[in-house]
């Protein structure tokens, strides 16, 4: 899969509107597989936090096996499926891998990964010092690895793990 370059931009309140619009679409497209909630996660879900301008959406499903038919429905609705971390999620981007406005993660509701993502998001929302440090790290990594999305993501993980260990 081709990768879009990493670009961190200042916070936009429009990100919340984009999430709500996509949530409405998703509720109609994948309602048979929805088990739990549809959550805005990632940096665009944190007011004031700079981010890649890509809306990260996490959808609770009963299981990966049970939600397998949703892949076809989502592809017909403009999402591109990619088997990234297929042991813990179904992962999609929209509209193309090269130009992304949305990432979609179908994750078993209340699984360890589900809980971890909610906890990290809420830590950023509730602690401005953590959010500020995370933002600084993101700018630094985006500059160093602007064409290597996997490395950018991997190098954020120690910070995320430390936040989850310390504050949760």
């Amino acid at each position: 899969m081709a990768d879009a370059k990493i670009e961190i931009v200042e916070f936009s309140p429009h990100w919340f509107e984009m999430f709500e619009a996509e949530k409405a679409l998703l509720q109609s497209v994948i309602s048979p597989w929805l088990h739990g909630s549809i959550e805005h996660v990632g940096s665009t879900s944190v007011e004031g936090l700079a981010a890649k301008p890509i809306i990260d959406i996490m959808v609770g499903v009963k299981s990966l096996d049970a939600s397998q038919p949703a892949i076809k429905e989502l592809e017909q609705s403009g999402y591109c499926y990619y088997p990234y971390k297929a042991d813990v999620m179904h992962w999609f981007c929209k509209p193309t891998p090269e130009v992304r406005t949305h990432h979609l993660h179908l994750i078993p509701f209340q699984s360890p990964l589900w809980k971890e993502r909610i906890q990290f998001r809420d830590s950023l929302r509730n602690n401005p010092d953590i959010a500020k440090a995370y933002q600084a790290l993101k700018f630094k990594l985006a500059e160093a690895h602007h064409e290597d999305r996997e490395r950018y993501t991997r190098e954020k993980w120690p910070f995320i793990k430390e936040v989850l260990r310390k504050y949760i």
Side-chain angles (χ1 to χ4, degrees):
M1 177 173 73
D3 260 339
K5 288 186 180 181
I6 298 166
E7 175 190 16
I8 306 294
V9 300
E10 293 302 320
F11 172 78
S12 170
H14 182 61
W15 293 338
F16 295 127
E17 298 164 14
M18 290 174 67
F19 166 72
E20 290 299 333
E22 203 65 19
K23 180 180 177 180
L25 170 73
L26 290 168
Q27 285 173 321
S28 68
V29 171
I30 61 167
S31 62
W33 303 281
L34 184 60
H35 182 80
S37 56
I38 299 175
E39 299 285 340
H40 189 185
V41 295
S43 296
T44 60
S45 71
V46 180
E47 189 166 353
L49 187 62
K52 295 185 309 291
I54 301 169
I55 309 304
D56 278 298
I57 302 170
M58 186 169 68
V59 174
V61 295
K62 186 170 187 165
S63 71
L64 296 178
D65 286 342
S67 61
Q68 191 75 31
I71 294 172
K72 183 178 179 184
E73 295 298 320
L74 288 162
E75 287 177 326
Q76 292 174 350
S77 295
Y79 277 94
C80 301
Y81 173 70
Y82 189 76
Y84 174 72
K85 297 186 179 183
D87 57 323
V88 293
M89 75 174 90
H90 296 308
W91 187 91
F92 305 81
C93 65
K94 183 180 180 178
T96 68
E98 300 81 14
V99 178
R100 302 178 189 184
T101 58
H102 296 78
H103 287 164
L104 176 63
H105 316 256
L106 302 189
I107 297 176
F109 186 63
Q110 297 300 331
S111 67
L113 180 58
W114 178 278
K115 291 176 182 177
E116 179 181 274
R117 290 194 172 177
I118 295 295
Q119 290 169 337
F120 186 67
R121 178 201 64 194
D122 291 349
S123 293
L124 293 173
R125 285 179 173 176
N126 297 323
N127 190 322
D129 291 336
I130 295 172
K132 185 176 180 180
Y134 189 54
Q135 179 173 282
L137 175 65
K138 288 160 50 89
F139 274 119
K140 177 183 166 191
L141 293 176
E143 185 174 325
H145 310 298
H146 66 277
E147 293 193 25
D148 189 345
R149 184 175 295 271
E150 195 60 37
R151 186 166 180 193
Y152 165 84
T153 300
R154 187 175 60 247
E155 290 191 16
K156 290 188 304 180
W157 183 240
F159 180 92
I160 294 166
K161 259 182 21 182
E162 182 63 13
V163 168
L164 291 172
R165 184 190 70 74
K166 246 183 180 174
Y167 299 98
I168 305 302

